[in-house]
């Protein structure tokens, strides 16, 4: 039998995935698991989802041929413009899908956790859109670091609750959100923002984000006469924008997959987020995957200049892409990522999010040939990172 890189019926991607959860969360997860595919394939759901993606998010996003970049690197480079989505990144595709699902399940209260605040903003946005109560858990340290996003969430009507335990960052916010969900199983849905967490979250989020890859297929078919590029390339934090663009190509090995992780100050510096290389098998947030940990299994605090990539794990789909060799993993340090923020701005007039900048740095690491068709997922825009760019380049 041909192997598949997609999820199996038990919620595993090869050795990774599953649902390793406390007994008290069982009912919530079970409810989701038995409903997510059924509800999200109903005609009325599909129609409402796609209407909102079109008229609210602004889809389909363009597949843009980057002419100057292509000339310089002597290959054919396309950008999938997720940076043009409402709220400035791909995250909204998933939050729209999950809020519609929550409504169908009869939930009237939404919780989420956020680190840098991007997922919090995308969640607060769809809650405002639907008139549903929204509570965002965020580490106290992150609340101070990410003031503009906290203000956005409040502007959108969300309540931002500080997590005051531990390192007061993302993982502590996640623990608070899980505690909340256990206490409010009936009326509350927990919107997870990436392809992480217990099954069915990784698969559910990948399906909602797969709109990205499906659009690429039909757009490439029109432009190039072939729906298959030679390479698809995306940055990986938890892995949702990557999963979205890889999705229709997962089992088509003619299309090469490249995952770009954040090396931070360097893989061996102790300040990095290069999970595939540095990570070992373990369980984080209910899923078996590769994660950065100490010898006795304590989760290590990751570091990257881009707040969206400093997650200590990667989703189980990506852990399996790494272990099986289906995906090629490259880590890019802060310096090269920042340089590419500037390169893309000056060569194409597109200021990318710093997360996104990491992906483009691959152009200096791999030699592509003249006839290769390469699609980069341009996951988000750089407005949110202007402060960091200003400090770094003394603009
Ligand atoms: C959040 C974010 C990421 C990282 O998350 P994934 O789940 O790995 O996609 C990447 N790019 C942008 C612009 C983001 O906001």
């Amino acid at each position: 039998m041909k192997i598949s890189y997609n999820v199996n019926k038990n919620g595993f991607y090869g050795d990774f995935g599953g649902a390793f959860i406390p007994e008290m969360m069982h009912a919530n997860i079970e409810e989701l698991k038995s409903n997510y595919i059924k509800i999200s394939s109903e005609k009325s759901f599909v129609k409402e989802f796609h209407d909102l993606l079109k008229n609210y998010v602004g889809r389909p996003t363009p597949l843009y041929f980057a002419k100057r970049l292509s000339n310089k690197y002597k290959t054919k480079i396309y950008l999938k413009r997720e940076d043009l989505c409402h709220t400035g990144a791909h995250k909204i595709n998933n939050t729209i899908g999950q809020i519609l699902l929550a409504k169908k399940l009869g939930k009237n209260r939404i919780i989420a956790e956020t680190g840098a605040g991007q997922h919090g903003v995308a969640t607060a946005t769809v809650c405002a859109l639907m008139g549903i109560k929204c509570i965002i858990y965020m580490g106290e340290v992150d609340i101070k670091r990410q003031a503009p996003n906290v203000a956005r969430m409040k502007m959108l009507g969300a309540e931002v609750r500080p997590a005051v335990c531990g390192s007061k960052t993302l993982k502590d916010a996640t623990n608070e959100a899980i505690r909340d969900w256990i206490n409010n199983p009936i009326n509350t849905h927990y919107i997870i923002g990436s392809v992480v967490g217990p099954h069915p979250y990784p698969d559910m989020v990948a399906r909602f984000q797969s709109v990205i890859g499906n659009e690429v297929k039909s757009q490439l078919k029109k432009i190039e006469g072939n729906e298959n590029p030679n390479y698809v390339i995306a940055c990986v934090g938890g892995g949702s924008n990557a999963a979205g663009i890889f999705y229709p190509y997962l089992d088509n090995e003619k299309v090469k997959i490249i995952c770009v992780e954040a090396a931070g100050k360097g893989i061996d510096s102790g300040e990095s987020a290069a999970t595939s290389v540095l990570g070992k098998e373990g369980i984080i947030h209910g899923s078996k995957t590769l994660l950065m940990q100490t010898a006795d299994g304590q989760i290590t605090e990751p570091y990257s200049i881009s707040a969206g990539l400093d997650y200590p794990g990667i989703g189980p789909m990506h852990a399996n892409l790494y272990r099986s060799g289906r995906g090629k993993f490259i880590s890019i340090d802060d310096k090269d990522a920042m340089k590419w923020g500037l390169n893309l701005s000056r060569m194409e007039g597109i200021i990318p999010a710093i997360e996104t900048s990491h992906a483009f740095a691959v152009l200096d690491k791999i030699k592509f040939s003249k006839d290769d068709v390469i699609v980069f997922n341009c996951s988000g825009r750089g407005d949110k990172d202007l402060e960091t760019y200003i400090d770094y380049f003394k603009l």
Side-chain angles (χ1 to χ4, degrees):
M1 203 180 77
K2 199 171 173 299
I3 49 167
S4 174
Y5 297 94
N6 217 321
V7 73
N8 71 18
K9 65 180 192 314
N10 300 319
F12 278 84
Y13 301 82
D15 297 331
F16 302 107
F20 299 84
I21 48 168
E23 181 58 32
M24 286 183 304
M25 234 169 105
H26 188 75
N28 311 39
I29 291 295
E30 206 50 43
E31 182 185 29
L32 261 189
K33 203 172 83 181
S34 43
N35 285 294
Y36 80 108
I37 291 182
K38 195 172 71 201
I39 291 178
S40 65
S41 18
E42 276 165 11
K43 229 177 169 171
S44 63
F45 184 101
V46 174
K47 183 174 182 317
E48 199 175 358
F49 184 48
H50 285 280
D51 278 353
L52 284 171
L53 289 180
K54 176 163 182 256
N55 299 309
Y56 187 70
V57 175
R59 305 203 72 91
T61 58
L63 183 68
Y64 163 70
F65 178 64
K67 197 166 165 193
R68 293 189 64 207
L69 217 51
S70 297
N71 281 341
K72 176 158 183 201
Y73 286 87
K74 301 192 171 39
T75 188
K76 280 181 165 174
I77 300 171
Y78 288 91
L79 273 52
K80 182 58 174 163
R81 299 291 309 277
E82 293 303 294
D83 57 310
L84 295 176
C85 289
H86 177 46
T87 69
H90 66 288
K91 287 195 173 69
I92 190 101
N93 304 322
N94 168 49
T95 54
I96 296 244
Q98 286 199 50
I99 196 95
L100 291 179
L101 183 68
K103 273 203 334 182
K104 298 267 184 188
L105 289 171
K107 311 286 176 179
N108 60 16
R109 181 175 177 273
I110 294 293
I111 56 169
E113 88 294 328
T114 194
Q118 294 302 110
H119 174 56
V121 170
T123 303
T125 300
V126 296
C127 288
L129 174 69
M130 297 295 171
I132 294 182
K133 186 175 169 59
C134 178
I135 292 153
I136 306 290
Y137 289 94
M138 192 169 182
E140 202 172 41
V141 169
D142 290 334
I143 289 181
K144 292 210 181 83
R145 285 196 291 210
Q146 311 289 341
N149 275 341
V150 175
R152 284 186 188 102
M153 288 181 257
K154 289 183 175 166
M155 184 92 189
L156 291 160
E159 179 190 340
V160 180
R161 284 195 193 162
V164 296
C165 294
S167 55
K168 305 182 173 75
T169 58
L170 179 64
K171 70 174 168 29
D172 312 291
T174 305
N175 292 339
E176 293 292 330
I178 290 173
R179 216 164 292 151
D180 180 312
W181 206 24
I182 288 172
N183 289 325
N184 300 282
I186 305 294
N187 69 341
T188 298
H189 175 67
Y190 178 12
I191 299 190
I192 292 184
S194 191
V195 285
V196 299
H199 178 66
Y201 277 100
D203 183 46
M204 178 169 71
V205 176
R207 283 167 183 261
F208 289 144
Q209 291 291 3
S210 70
V211 63
I212 303 173
N214 289 330
E215 285 177 8
V216 169
K217 265 179 103 166
S218 59
Q219 289 168 321
L220 262 190
K221 176 95 186 157
K222 278 204 195 100
I223 307 170
E224 288 283 338
N226 181 353
E227 62 184 23
N228 298 326
N230 298 89
Y231 294 88
V232 274
I233 305 177
C235 65
V236 174
S240 69
N241 84 88
I245 198 162
F246 298 164
Y247 198 87
Y249 298 119
L250 277 176
D251 291 339
N252 176 356
E253 301 207 29
K254 280 188 290 213
V255 179
K256 297 195 186 76
I257 283 174
I258 298 181
C259 300
V260 185
E261 293 184 311
K265 295 185 179 164
I267 288 186
D268 303 317
S269 66
E271 290 182 87
S272 143
T275 312
S276 66
V277 194
L278 296 173
K280 295 206 174 49
E281 210 169 298
I283 289 169
I284 182 171
H285 303 142
S287 166
K288 189 183 204 187
T289 188
L290 294 173
L291 61 123
M292 302 199 325
Q293 50 188 309
T294 59
D296 54 356
Q298 296 296 317
I299 292 166
T300 351
E301 201 69 31
Y303 165 82
S304 160
I305 194 164
S306 81
L309 298 185
D310 66 356
Y311 182 68
I314 42 175
M317 174 198 283
H318 303 283
N320 186 49
L321 291 175
Y322 177 74
R323 183 165 285 179
S324 63
R326 173 70 183 98
K328 185 176 171 64
F329 281 66
I330 293 182
S331 28
I332 297 296
D333 65 18
D334 288 356
K335 194 164 113 293
D336 287 347
M338 293 304 276
K339 188 179 91 184
W340 269 94
L342 213 53
N343 285 354
L344 197 69
S345 301
R346 298 198 173 167
M347 289 196 67
E348 296 293 343
I350 295 170
I351 303 176
I354 302 175
E355 291 85 350
T356 314
S357 306
H358 284 74
F360 288 98
V362 163
L363 287 169
D364 292 324
K365 307 278 173 188
I366 296 181
K367 178 89 187 83
F368 297 101
S369 74
K370 170 168 96 18
D371 299 322
D372 281 340
V373 172
I374 301 166
V375 180
F376 281 96
N377 200 3
C378 193
S379 58
R381 67 175 90 120
D383 308 33
K384 70 181 178 62
D385 296 317
L386 219 49
E387 198 78 13
T388 313
Y389 282 134
I390 289 169
D391 285 350
Y392 193 88
F393 293 115
K394 314 261 178 290
L395 300 172

